[in-house]
Amino acid sequence: MTRPLTCHTILALCEQLAQWRAGGASIGLVPTMGALHDGHLSLVRATAKRADKVVVSIFVNPTQFAPHEDFDTYPRTLDTDRENLADSGAADLIFAPGGGEIYPPGFATAMHVDGPALGLESDFRPHFFGGVAIIVAKLLIAALPDIAMFGEKDYQQLLVIRRMAADLGLPIEIAGGPILREDDGLAMSSRNAYLDAEERKVAGQLNLVLKAAIARLRKGDAIREVEVTAETALKAAGFDTVDYVAVRDAETLATIEDLAHPARILAAAKIGKTRLIDNMAV
Ligand code: AMP
């Protein structure tokens, strides 16, 4: 079992990575907000296959939460995360900075992202991708990994980060890993811990509804009709609010009229205060 090192400062991270690089090692980075589950660990393992040394960052990033969202209550489980990463045998370093290390007093820089960031999540969380872009840019610049791995669970986020890294000319491969799911299809998420037993049953319907929608799309049903039917099905299943069910171009997230190019179905819905997202290839 490899016990990963832990660094709390950017300087300590850079010093350790410089040593590894001097020895010829390639570096992989997996950015997370902690409360690690098997979905996160699958990304760590996938990265270990592609890089000699794997850094997992754990930082609950305040700039991607709106004031009314769950920043204060987001699960923080660093000791358990460290054990799980040690058990995985795939992580070499945990980068767990404090808030002041990432956003020192006087911090006054923001990022504006466009393109794949427009619509979907941004319609409901307008602050979100700007916050994601600044933290991921900071992590990428600090670690300068050869590869950085993100989950398709946050599909729009993956496309936004890919665009941002390309636009900034960062010489880093942005890789995507498949979604890990519970037995009933619910995408693993740190936020699933908020669900009580009843809500957990409802949550499992999200993926089933997406699968049913995909079956209809493949049969040739009209995209707009399928989106509306899926929204209705989610409400009937017990979701309190459906933010969107949308069938989009898989590369650009542009709206589409047919399935001539690869497409993705994406959804976001709330049970009580818990907001869940999911997506699948059509
Ligand atoms: P988070 O800690 O929620 O910010 O997620 C950190 C990374 O893990 C992101 O790249 C997510 O897309 C990815 N991730 C979260 N849940 C899953 C999952 N169920 N399967 C695969 N990757 C995931």
Side-chain angles (χ1 to χ4, degrees), residues 30-40 42-43 64 74 149-155 157 177-181 186-191:
V30 185
T32 80
M33 297 206 299
L36 301 181
H37 49 65
D38 285 346
H40 296 114
S42 73
L43 297 183
Q64 69 191 67
Y74 197 86
M149 182 80 76
F150 299 85
E152 287 182 349
K153 157 83 183 348
D154 300 273
Y155 191 79
Q157 170 176 287
I179 304 176
L180 251 73
R181 299 180 179 279
L186 175 66
M188 290 182 185
S189 164
S190 310
R191 288 191 169 100

PDB file of all heavy atoms in Angstrom, residues 30-40 42-43 64 74 149-155 157 177-181 186-191, ligand 1:
ATOM      1  N   VAL A  30      -5.790  14.735 -10.395  1.00  0.00           N
ATOM      2  CA  VAL A  30      -7.237  14.512 -10.293  1.00  0.00           C
ATOM      3  C   VAL A  30      -7.802  15.540  -9.307  1.00  0.00           C
ATOM      4  O   VAL A  30      -7.674  15.373  -8.093  1.00  0.00           O
ATOM      5  CB  VAL A  30      -7.562  13.082  -9.794  1.00  0.00           C
ATOM      6  CG1 VAL A  30      -9.071  12.845  -9.807  1.00  0.00           C
ATOM      7  CG2 VAL A  30      -6.854  12.031 -10.643  1.00  0.00           C
ATOM      8  N   PRO A  31      -8.415  16.603  -9.807  1.00  0.00           N
ATOM      9  CA  PRO A  31      -8.998  17.599  -8.907  1.00  0.00           C
ATOM     10  C   PRO A  31     -10.331  17.108  -8.320  1.00  0.00           C
ATOM     11  O   PRO A  31     -11.190  16.599  -9.059  1.00  0.00           O
ATOM     12  CB  PRO A  31      -9.244  18.819  -9.800  1.00  0.00           C
ATOM     13  CG  PRO A  31      -8.390  18.601 -11.011  1.00  0.00           C
ATOM     14  CD  PRO A  31      -8.390  17.105 -11.187  1.00  0.00           C
ATOM     15  N   THR A  32     -10.498  17.243  -7.005  1.00  0.00           N
ATOM     16  CA  THR A  32     -11.755  16.858  -6.358  1.00  0.00           C
ATOM     17  C   THR A  32     -12.087  17.849  -5.247  1.00  0.00           C
ATOM     18  O   THR A  32     -11.242  18.637  -4.829  1.00  0.00           O
ATOM     19  CB  THR A  32     -11.690  15.456  -5.701  1.00  0.00           C
ATOM     20  OG1 THR A  32     -11.033  15.576  -4.426  1.00  0.00           O
ATOM     21  CG2 THR A  32     -10.955  14.451  -6.556  1.00  0.00           C
ATOM     22  N   MET A  33     -13.333  17.725  -4.748  1.00  0.00           N
ATOM     23  CA  MET A  33     -13.717  18.478  -3.551  1.00  0.00           C
ATOM     24  C   MET A  33     -13.791  17.533  -2.345  1.00  0.00           C
ATOM     25  O   MET A  33     -14.400  17.866  -1.329  1.00  0.00           O
ATOM     26  CB  MET A  33     -15.055  19.185  -3.773  1.00  0.00           C
ATOM     27  CG  MET A  33     -14.973  20.224  -4.897  1.00  0.00           C
ATOM     28  SD  MET A  33     -16.169  21.547  -4.752  1.00  0.00           S
ATOM     29  CE  MET A  33     -17.698  20.649  -4.826  1.00  0.00           C
ATOM     30  N   GLY A  34     -13.193  16.357  -2.458  1.00  0.00           N
ATOM     31  CA  GLY A  34     -13.164  15.435  -1.323  1.00  0.00           C
ATOM     32  C   GLY A  34     -14.477  14.685  -1.162  1.00  0.00           C
ATOM     33  O   GLY A  34     -15.265  14.590  -2.103  1.00  0.00           O
ATOM     34  N   ALA A  35     -14.709  14.139   0.059  1.00  0.00           N
ATOM     35  CA  ALA A  35     -15.832  13.213   0.295  1.00  0.00           C
ATOM     36  C   ALA A  35     -15.783  12.137  -0.785  1.00  0.00           C
ATOM     37  O   ALA A  35     -16.765  11.870  -1.483  1.00  0.00           O
ATOM     38  CB  ALA A  35     -17.174  13.954   0.307  1.00  0.00           C
ATOM     39  N   LEU A  36     -14.616  11.529  -0.898  1.00  0.00           N
ATOM     40  CA  LEU A  36     -14.333  10.665  -2.046  1.00  0.00           C
ATOM     41  C   LEU A  36     -15.173   9.384  -2.024  1.00  0.00           C
ATOM     42  O   LEU A  36     -15.345   8.762  -0.982  1.00  0.00           O
ATOM     43  CB  LEU A  36     -12.848  10.300  -2.053  1.00  0.00           C
ATOM     44  CG  LEU A  36     -11.885  11.488  -2.127  1.00  0.00           C
ATOM     45  CD1 LEU A  36     -10.443  10.998  -2.154  1.00  0.00           C
ATOM     46  CD2 LEU A  36     -12.175  12.375  -3.332  1.00  0.00           C
ATOM     47  N   HIS A  37     -15.679   9.022  -3.197  1.00  0.00           N
ATOM     48  CA  HIS A  37     -16.411   7.763  -3.375  1.00  0.00           C
ATOM     49  C   HIS A  37     -15.736   6.995  -4.508  1.00  0.00           C
ATOM     50  O   HIS A  37     -14.716   7.448  -5.059  1.00  0.00           O
ATOM     51  CB  HIS A  37     -17.892   8.033  -3.651  1.00  0.00           C
ATOM     52  CG  HIS A  37     -18.135   9.054  -4.729  1.00  0.00           C
ATOM     53  ND1 HIS A  37     -17.782   8.840  -6.042  1.00  0.00           N
ATOM     54  CD2 HIS A  37     -18.672  10.306  -4.680  1.00  0.00           C
ATOM     55  CE1 HIS A  37     -18.112   9.897  -6.765  1.00  0.00           C
ATOM     56  NE2 HIS A  37     -18.636  10.817  -5.958  1.00  0.00           N
ATOM     57  N   ASP A  38     -16.323   5.855  -4.877  1.00  0.00           N
ATOM     58  CA  ASP A  38     -15.682   5.013  -5.890  1.00  0.00           C
ATOM     59  C   ASP A  38     -15.544   5.712  -7.243  1.00  0.00           C
ATOM     60  O   ASP A  38     -14.667   5.366  -8.034  1.00  0.00           O
ATOM     61  CB  ASP A  38     -16.458   3.702  -6.077  1.00  0.00           C
ATOM     62  CG  ASP A  38     -16.204   2.753  -4.915  1.00  0.00           C
ATOM     63  OD1 ASP A  38     -15.257   3.003  -4.139  1.00  0.00           O
ATOM     64  OD2 ASP A  38     -16.949   1.764  -4.781  1.00  0.00           O
ATOM     65  N   GLY A  39     -16.443   6.655  -7.526  1.00  0.00           N
ATOM     66  CA  GLY A  39     -16.330   7.412  -8.784  1.00  0.00           C
ATOM     67  C   GLY A  39     -15.018   8.186  -8.820  1.00  0.00           C
ATOM     68  O   GLY A  39     -14.274   8.141  -9.805  1.00  0.00           O
ATOM     69  N   HIS A  40     -14.728   8.905  -7.727  1.00  0.00           N
ATOM     70  CA  HIS A  40     -13.446   9.617  -7.654  1.00  0.00           C
ATOM     71  C   HIS A  40     -12.273   8.631  -7.759  1.00  0.00           C
ATOM     72  O   HIS A  40     -11.309   8.860  -8.487  1.00  0.00           O
ATOM     73  CB  HIS A  40     -13.310  10.340  -6.311  1.00  0.00           C
ATOM     74  CG  HIS A  40     -14.307  11.422  -6.051  1.00  0.00           C
ATOM     75  ND1 HIS A  40     -15.254  11.340  -5.058  1.00  0.00           N
ATOM     76  CD2 HIS A  40     -14.492  12.633  -6.641  1.00  0.00           C
ATOM     77  CE1 HIS A  40     -15.971  12.446  -5.032  1.00  0.00           C
ATOM     78  NE2 HIS A  40     -15.544  13.251  -5.993  1.00  0.00           N
ATOM     79  N   SER A  42     -12.109   5.779  -9.106  1.00  0.00           N
ATOM     80  CA  SER A  42     -11.922   5.218 -10.453  1.00  0.00           C
ATOM     81  C   SER A  42     -11.091   6.177 -11.315  1.00  0.00           C
ATOM     82  O   SER A  42     -10.285   5.744 -12.133  1.00  0.00           O
ATOM     83  CB  SER A  42     -13.264   4.914 -11.118  1.00  0.00           C
ATOM     84  OG  SER A  42     -13.906   6.112 -11.515  1.00  0.00           O
ATOM     85  N   LEU A  43     -11.290   7.484 -11.114  1.00  0.00           N
ATOM     86  CA  LEU A  43     -10.484   8.460 -11.867  1.00  0.00           C
ATOM     87  C   LEU A  43      -9.022   8.396 -11.427  1.00  0.00           C
ATOM     88  O   LEU A  43      -8.101   8.518 -12.240  1.00  0.00           O
ATOM     89  CB  LEU A  43     -11.005   9.883 -11.638  1.00  0.00           C
ATOM     90  CG  LEU A  43     -12.429  10.210 -12.095  1.00  0.00           C
ATOM     91  CD1 LEU A  43     -12.726  11.687 -11.839  1.00  0.00           C
ATOM     92  CD2 LEU A  43     -12.643   9.882 -13.550  1.00  0.00           C
ATOM     93  N   GLN A  64     -17.245  28.440  -6.484  1.00  0.00           N
ATOM     94  CA  GLN A  64     -18.225  27.800  -7.370  1.00  0.00           C
ATOM     95  C   GLN A  64     -19.566  27.576  -6.682  1.00  0.00           C
ATOM     96  O   GLN A  64     -20.452  26.940  -7.252  1.00  0.00           O
ATOM     97  CB  GLN A  64     -17.668  26.505  -7.966  1.00  0.00           C
ATOM     98  CG  GLN A  64     -17.468  25.373  -6.991  1.00  0.00           C
ATOM     99  CD  GLN A  64     -16.660  24.236  -7.605  1.00  0.00           C
ATOM    100  OE1 GLN A  64     -15.481  24.387  -7.905  1.00  0.00           O
ATOM    101  NE2 GLN A  64     -17.299  23.090  -7.816  1.00  0.00           N
ATOM    102  N   TYR A  74     -21.201  21.217   2.831  1.00  0.00           N
ATOM    103  CA  TYR A  74     -20.607  20.219   1.933  1.00  0.00           C
ATOM    104  C   TYR A  74     -19.729  19.283   2.767  1.00  0.00           C
ATOM    105  O   TYR A  74     -18.951  19.742   3.606  1.00  0.00           O
ATOM    106  CB  TYR A  74     -19.780  20.913   0.843  1.00  0.00           C
ATOM    107  CG  TYR A  74     -19.487  19.998  -0.325  1.00  0.00           C
ATOM    108  CD1 TYR A  74     -20.388  19.861  -1.365  1.00  0.00           C
ATOM    109  CD2 TYR A  74     -18.324  19.229  -0.348  1.00  0.00           C
ATOM    110  CE1 TYR A  74     -20.136  18.999  -2.422  1.00  0.00           C
ATOM    111  CE2 TYR A  74     -18.065  18.358  -1.401  1.00  0.00           C
ATOM    112  CZ  TYR A  74     -18.982  18.262  -2.436  1.00  0.00           C
ATOM    113  OH  TYR A  74     -18.736  17.393  -3.474  1.00  0.00           O
ATOM    114  N   MET A 149      -7.401  14.525 -15.040  1.00  0.00           N
ATOM    115  CA  MET A 149      -8.554  13.642 -15.290  1.00  0.00           C
ATOM    116  C   MET A 149      -9.802  14.191 -14.608  1.00  0.00           C
ATOM    117  O   MET A 149      -9.770  14.532 -13.420  1.00  0.00           O
ATOM    118  CB  MET A 149      -8.213  12.248 -14.737  1.00  0.00           C
ATOM    119  CG  MET A 149      -9.257  11.197 -14.942  1.00  0.00           C
ATOM    120  SD  MET A 149      -9.270  10.476 -16.608  1.00  0.00           S
ATOM    121  CE  MET A 149      -7.848   9.402 -16.563  1.00  0.00           C
ATOM    122  N   PHE A 150     -10.886  14.246 -15.357  1.00  0.00           N
ATOM    123  CA  PHE A 150     -12.177  14.735 -14.840  1.00  0.00           C
ATOM    124  C   PHE A 150     -13.254  13.721 -15.188  1.00  0.00           C
ATOM    125  O   PHE A 150     -13.132  12.975 -16.170  1.00  0.00           O
ATOM    126  CB  PHE A 150     -12.512  16.098 -15.458  1.00  0.00           C
ATOM    127  CG  PHE A 150     -11.497  17.152 -15.120  1.00  0.00           C
ATOM    128  CD1 PHE A 150     -10.340  17.290 -15.875  1.00  0.00           C
ATOM    129  CD2 PHE A 150     -11.667  17.977 -14.015  1.00  0.00           C
ATOM    130  CE1 PHE A 150      -9.378  18.236 -15.545  1.00  0.00           C
ATOM    131  CE2 PHE A 150     -10.715  18.927 -13.677  1.00  0.00           C
ATOM    132  CZ  PHE A 150      -9.563  19.058 -14.446  1.00  0.00           C
ATOM    133  N   GLY A 151     -14.342  13.708 -14.412  1.00  0.00           N
ATOM    134  CA  GLY A 151     -15.399  12.737 -14.631  1.00  0.00           C
ATOM    135  C   GLY A 151     -16.429  13.212 -15.643  1.00  0.00           C
ATOM    136  O   GLY A 151     -16.796  14.393 -15.668  1.00  0.00           O
ATOM    137  N   GLU A 152     -16.921  12.278 -16.453  1.00  0.00           N
ATOM    138  CA  GLU A 152     -18.039  12.607 -17.361  1.00  0.00           C
ATOM    139  C   GLU A 152     -19.314  12.862 -16.565  1.00  0.00           C
ATOM    140  O   GLU A 152     -20.282  13.371 -17.110  1.00  0.00           O
ATOM    141  CB  GLU A 152     -18.249  11.465 -18.355  1.00  0.00           C
ATOM    142  CG  GLU A 152     -17.160  11.394 -19.399  1.00  0.00           C
ATOM    143  CD  GLU A 152     -17.384  10.291 -20.414  1.00  0.00           C
ATOM    144  OE1 GLU A 152     -18.271   9.439 -20.203  1.00  0.00           O
ATOM    145  OE2 GLU A 152     -16.649  10.285 -21.421  1.00  0.00           O
ATOM    146  N   LYS A 153     -19.324  12.500 -15.292  1.00  0.00           N
ATOM    147  CA  LYS A 153     -20.459  12.814 -14.415  1.00  0.00           C
ATOM    148  C   LYS A 153     -20.817  14.299 -14.544  1.00  0.00           C
ATOM    149  O   LYS A 153     -21.972  14.681 -14.576  1.00  0.00           O
ATOM    150  CB  LYS A 153     -20.076  12.456 -12.972  1.00  0.00           C
ATOM    151  CG  LYS A 153     -20.845  13.162 -11.887  1.00  0.00           C
ATOM    152  CD  LYS A 153     -22.138  12.480 -11.629  1.00  0.00           C
ATOM    153  CE  LYS A 153     -23.039  13.143 -10.616  1.00  0.00           C
ATOM    154  NZ  LYS A 153     -22.531  14.187  -9.794  1.00  0.00           N
ATOM    155  N   ASP A 154     -19.778  15.145 -14.591  1.00  0.00           N
ATOM    156  CA  ASP A 154     -19.969  16.588 -14.768  1.00  0.00           C
ATOM    157  C   ASP A 154     -19.574  16.897 -16.213  1.00  0.00           C
ATOM    158  O   ASP A 154     -18.527  17.479 -16.487  1.00  0.00           O
ATOM    159  CB  ASP A 154     -19.111  17.349 -13.761  1.00  0.00           C
ATOM    160  CG  ASP A 154     -19.473  16.992 -12.334  1.00  0.00           C
ATOM    161  OD1 ASP A 154     -20.384  17.618 -11.782  1.00  0.00           O
ATOM    162  OD2 ASP A 154     -18.878  16.049 -11.779  1.00  0.00           O
ATOM    163  N   TYR A 155     -20.445  16.476 -17.130  1.00  0.00           N
ATOM    164  CA  TYR A 155     -20.074  16.470 -18.551  1.00  0.00           C
ATOM    165  C   TYR A 155     -19.816  17.880 -19.075  1.00  0.00           C
ATOM    166  O   TYR A 155     -18.824  18.135 -19.761  1.00  0.00           O
ATOM    167  CB  TYR A 155     -21.183  15.787 -19.352  1.00  0.00           C
ATOM    168  CG  TYR A 155     -20.791  15.495 -20.777  1.00  0.00           C
ATOM    169  CD1 TYR A 155     -19.995  14.397 -21.080  1.00  0.00           C
ATOM    170  CD2 TYR A 155     -21.202  16.310 -21.815  1.00  0.00           C
ATOM    171  CE1 TYR A 155     -19.622  14.128 -22.383  1.00  0.00           C
ATOM    172  CE2 TYR A 155     -20.838  16.050 -23.121  1.00  0.00           C
ATOM    173  CZ  TYR A 155     -20.048  14.955 -23.402  1.00  0.00           C
ATOM    174  OH  TYR A 155     -19.677  14.692 -24.701  1.00  0.00           O
ATOM    175  N   GLN A 157     -18.982  20.454 -17.374  1.00  0.00           N
ATOM    176  CA  GLN A 157     -17.745  20.929 -16.740  1.00  0.00           C
ATOM    177  C   GLN A 157     -16.508  20.414 -17.485  1.00  0.00           C
ATOM    178  O   GLN A 157     -15.548  21.161 -17.708  1.00  0.00           O
ATOM    179  CB  GLN A 157     -17.730  20.453 -15.291  1.00  0.00           C
ATOM    180  CG  GLN A 157     -16.413  20.641 -14.555  1.00  0.00           C
ATOM    181  CD  GLN A 157     -16.530  20.220 -13.108  1.00  0.00           C
ATOM    182  OE1 GLN A 157     -17.141  20.917 -12.323  1.00  0.00           O
ATOM    183  NE2 GLN A 157     -15.958  19.083 -12.735  1.00  0.00           N
ATOM    184  N   GLY A 177     -13.221  10.530 -17.607  1.00  0.00           N
ATOM    185  CA  GLY A 177     -13.437   9.149 -17.156  1.00  0.00           C
ATOM    186  C   GLY A 177     -14.929   8.863 -17.061  1.00  0.00           C
ATOM    187  O   GLY A 177     -15.723   9.777 -16.798  1.00  0.00           O
ATOM    188  N   PRO A 178     -15.336   7.599 -17.295  1.00  0.00           N
ATOM    189  CA  PRO A 178     -16.767   7.252 -17.282  1.00  0.00           C
ATOM    190  C   PRO A 178     -17.411   7.417 -15.906  1.00  0.00           C
ATOM    191  O   PRO A 178     -16.724   7.430 -14.886  1.00  0.00           O
ATOM    192  CB  PRO A 178     -16.775   5.773 -17.699  1.00  0.00           C
ATOM    193  CG  PRO A 178     -15.399   5.271 -17.440  1.00  0.00           C
ATOM    194  CD  PRO A 178     -14.474   6.435 -17.534  1.00  0.00           C
ATOM    195  N   ILE A 179     -18.749   7.528 -15.921  1.00  0.00           N
ATOM    196  CA  ILE A 179     -19.512   7.740 -14.681  1.00  0.00           C
ATOM    197  C   ILE A 179     -19.633   6.421 -13.920  1.00  0.00           C
ATOM    198  O   ILE A 179     -20.076   5.422 -14.497  1.00  0.00           O
ATOM    199  CB  ILE A 179     -20.930   8.245 -15.006  1.00  0.00           C
ATOM    200  CG1 ILE A 179     -20.870   9.520 -15.851  1.00  0.00           C
ATOM    201  CG2 ILE A 179     -21.742   8.459 -13.728  1.00  0.00           C
ATOM    202  CD1 ILE A 179     -22.243  10.020 -16.306  1.00  0.00           C
ATOM    203  N   LEU A 180     -19.275   6.413 -12.656  1.00  0.00           N
ATOM    204  CA  LEU A 180     -19.550   5.239 -11.824  1.00  0.00           C
ATOM    205  C   LEU A 180     -20.917   5.395 -11.166  1.00  0.00           C
ATOM    206  O   LEU A 180     -21.262   6.494 -10.706  1.00  0.00           O
ATOM    207  CB  LEU A 180     -18.465   5.043 -10.760  1.00  0.00           C
ATOM    208  CG  LEU A 180     -17.610   3.821 -11.085  1.00  0.00           C
ATOM    209  CD1 LEU A 180     -16.697   4.125 -12.253  1.00  0.00           C
ATOM    210  CD2 LEU A 180     -16.846   3.327  -9.891  1.00  0.00           C
ATOM    211  N   ARG A 181     -21.683   4.294 -11.136  1.00  0.00           N
ATOM    212  CA  ARG A 181     -23.067   4.354 -10.680  1.00  0.00           C
ATOM    213  C   ARG A 181     -23.332   3.352  -9.569  1.00  0.00           C
ATOM    214  O   ARG A 181     -22.650   2.332  -9.465  1.00  0.00           O
ATOM    215  CB  ARG A 181     -24.013   4.050 -11.858  1.00  0.00           C
ATOM    216  CG  ARG A 181     -23.874   5.034 -12.991  1.00  0.00           C
ATOM    217  CD  ARG A 181     -24.808   4.715 -14.149  1.00  0.00           C
ATOM    218  NE  ARG A 181     -24.640   5.712 -15.208  1.00  0.00           N
ATOM    219  CZ  ARG A 181     -25.201   6.911 -15.193  1.00  0.00           C
ATOM    220  NH1 ARG A 181     -25.999   7.251 -14.189  1.00  0.00           N
ATOM    221  NH2 ARG A 181     -24.985   7.772 -16.156  1.00  0.00           N
ATOM    222  N   LEU A 186     -28.100   5.200 -10.102  1.00  0.00           N
ATOM    223  CA  LEU A 186     -27.827   6.563  -9.626  1.00  0.00           C
ATOM    224  C   LEU A 186     -26.328   6.849  -9.728  1.00  0.00           C
ATOM    225  O   LEU A 186     -25.502   6.075  -9.233  1.00  0.00           O
ATOM    226  CB  LEU A 186     -28.286   6.706  -8.163  1.00  0.00           C
ATOM    227  CG  LEU A 186     -27.953   8.053  -7.508  1.00  0.00           C
ATOM    228  CD1 LEU A 186     -28.717   9.195  -8.176  1.00  0.00           C
ATOM    229  CD2 LEU A 186     -28.259   8.015  -6.008  1.00  0.00           C
ATOM    230  N   ALA A 187     -25.982   7.959 -10.375  1.00  0.00           N
ATOM    231  CA  ALA A 187     -24.571   8.340 -10.486  1.00  0.00           C
ATOM    232  C   ALA A 187     -24.026   8.625  -9.093  1.00  0.00           C
ATOM    233  O   ALA A 187     -24.663   9.334  -8.297  1.00  0.00           O
ATOM    234  CB  ALA A 187     -24.446   9.578 -11.368  1.00  0.00           C
ATOM    235  N   MET A 188     -22.869   8.051  -8.775  1.00  0.00           N
ATOM    236  CA  MET A 188     -22.270   8.327  -7.458  1.00  0.00           C
ATOM    237  C   MET A 188     -21.961   9.810  -7.351  1.00  0.00           C
ATOM    238  O   MET A 188     -21.500  10.434  -8.314  1.00  0.00           O
ATOM    239  CB  MET A 188     -20.988   7.517  -7.291  1.00  0.00           C
ATOM    240  CG  MET A 188     -21.258   6.055  -7.137  1.00  0.00           C
ATOM    241  SD  MET A 188     -19.730   5.157  -6.894  1.00  0.00           S
ATOM    242  CE  MET A 188     -20.384   3.490  -6.916  1.00  0.00           C
ATOM    243  N   SER A 189     -22.242  10.369  -6.169  1.00  0.00           N
ATOM    244  CA  SER A 189     -21.993  11.789  -5.946  1.00  0.00           C
ATOM    245  C   SER A 189     -21.844  12.024  -4.452  1.00  0.00           C
ATOM    246  O   SER A 189     -22.534  11.385  -3.645  1.00  0.00           O
ATOM    247  CB  SER A 189     -23.170  12.610  -6.477  1.00  0.00           C
ATOM    248  OG  SER A 189     -23.130  13.915  -5.948  1.00  0.00           O
ATOM    249  N   SER A 190     -20.965  12.928  -4.090  1.00  0.00           N
ATOM    250  CA  SER A 190     -20.811  13.273  -2.668  1.00  0.00           C
ATOM    251  C   SER A 190     -22.132  13.800  -2.115  1.00  0.00           C
ATOM    252  O   SER A 190     -22.417  13.662  -0.932  1.00  0.00           O
ATOM    253  CB  SER A 190     -19.720  14.330  -2.497  1.00  0.00           C
ATOM    254  OG  SER A 190     -18.549  13.933  -3.181  1.00  0.00           O
ATOM    255  N   ARG A 191     -22.946  14.409  -2.978  1.00  0.00           N
ATOM    256  CA  ARG A 191     -24.214  14.992  -2.519  1.00  0.00           C
ATOM    257  C   ARG A 191     -25.293  13.930  -2.274  1.00  0.00           C
ATOM    258  O   ARG A 191     -26.311  14.230  -1.653  1.00  0.00           O
ATOM    259  CB  ARG A 191     -24.720  16.038  -3.512  1.00  0.00           C
ATOM    260  CG  ARG A 191     -23.898  17.314  -3.495  1.00  0.00           C
ATOM    261  CD  ARG A 191     -24.553  18.440  -4.284  1.00  0.00           C
ATOM    262  NE  ARG A 191     -23.900  19.713  -4.054  1.00  0.00           N
ATOM    263  CZ  ARG A 191     -23.021  20.281  -4.871  1.00  0.00           C
ATOM    264  NH1 ARG A 191     -22.675  19.670  -5.988  1.00  0.00           N
ATOM    265  NH2 ARG A 191     -22.480  21.451  -4.578  1.00  0.00           N
TER     266      ARG A 191
HETATM  267  P1  AMP B   1     -16.245  16.625  -7.172  1.00  0.00           P
HETATM  268  O1  AMP B   1     -15.497  16.208  -5.948  1.00  0.00           O
HETATM  269  O2  AMP B   1     -17.700  16.369  -7.111  1.00  0.00           O
HETATM  270  O3  AMP B   1     -15.876  18.029  -7.617  1.00  0.00           O
HETATM  271  O4  AMP B   1     -15.726  15.668  -8.324  1.00  0.00           O
HETATM  272  C1  AMP B   1     -14.356  15.554  -8.609  1.00  0.00           C
HETATM  273  C2  AMP B   1     -14.195  14.814  -9.919  1.00  0.00           C
HETATM  274  O5  AMP B   1     -14.769  13.522  -9.803  1.00  0.00           O
HETATM  275  C3  AMP B   1     -14.909  15.515 -11.070  1.00  0.00           C
HETATM  276  O6  AMP B   1     -14.103  15.425 -12.228  1.00  0.00           O
HETATM  277  C4  AMP B   1     -16.166  14.716 -11.203  1.00  0.00           C
HETATM  278  O7  AMP B   1     -16.713  14.742 -12.503  1.00  0.00           O
HETATM  279  C5  AMP B   1     -15.677  13.323 -10.854  1.00  0.00           C
HETATM  280  N1  AMP B   1     -16.790  12.472 -10.431  1.00  0.00           N
HETATM  281  C6  AMP B   1     -17.751  12.761  -9.518  1.00  0.00           C
HETATM  282  N2  AMP B   1     -18.646  11.754  -9.436  1.00  0.00           N
HETATM  283  C7  AMP B   1     -18.247  10.807 -10.320  1.00  0.00           C
HETATM  284  C8  AMP B   1     -18.765   9.529 -10.707  1.00  0.00           C
HETATM  285  N3  AMP B   1     -19.886   9.024 -10.180  1.00  0.00           N
HETATM  286  N4  AMP B   1     -18.086   8.820 -11.644  1.00  0.00           N
HETATM  287  C9  AMP B   1     -16.944   9.318 -12.204  1.00  0.00           C
HETATM  288  N5  AMP B   1     -16.407  10.519 -11.879  1.00  0.00           N
HETATM  289  C10 AMP B   1     -17.054  11.254 -10.951  1.00  0.00           C
END
